[in-house]
Amino acid sequence: MKPGGRTAVCGARANYNDTTPQMCTYPHHEIITRQLKIEGFMVRSWQHKDAEYIKRMLKWMEEGKLKAKEVDTVGFENMPAAFIKMLKGDGLGKAIVKV
């Protein structure tokens, strides 16, 4: 990252059912010498901006600047497996079951 860089950390769906906290390593020296900022946030802290966000995202999707990724599963009988995969963090994007 460039000096003064910032990164946001949100989401832990794959870890919701863990019984012990997840730990990660981070490069202390780089964070200090480049004066980086790592900040966690929760989506509900920004609910007051929902209308603005939705308008902007829809525009970007219409313009092709933003594309949604989906993981499709076909068949009602496959719903439990698709749900478990989603909870484990398998796949990237929105999980959809087509019946």
Side-chain angles (χ1 to χ4, degrees):
M1 290 180 69
K2 291 181 179 180
R6 298 173 295 159
T7 185
V9 181
C10 180
R13 181 171 287 158
N15 307 108
Y16 285 171
N17 296 320
D18 287 355
T19 55
T20 56
Q22 294 294 311
M23 304 300 285
C24 62
T25 59
Y26 55 95
H28 296 82
H29 181 71
E30 294 297 317
I31 292 171
I32 294 167
T33 58
R34 294 179 189 216
Q35 299 180 33
L36 303 177
K37 180 176 181 180
I38 300 171
E39 182 176 353
F41 74 95
M42 299 191 66
V43 174
R44 67 176 169 249
S45 299
W46 299 93
Q47 285 178 329
H48 64 284
K49 293 190 173 253
D50 280 356
E52 175 188 340
Y53 158 80
I54 291 169
K55 184 177 177 182
R56 184 178 302 149
M57 294 298 114
L58 287 173
K59 181 175 183 267
W60 287 352
M61 288 184 86
E62 290 168 359
E63 295 172 347
K65 294 179 180 177
L66 181 67
K67 295 181 177 141
K69 294 189 181 240
E70 298 177 350
V71 177
D72 294 335
T73 301
V74 179
F76 184 81
E77 68 279 4
N78 295 317
M79 190 181 312
F83 184 66
I84 290 168
K85 279 181 158 183
M86 180 195 68
L87 291 177
K88 286 183 176 180
D90 292 350
L92 178 65
K94 185 190 319 184
I96 297 174
V97 177
K98 296 179 178 181
V99 293

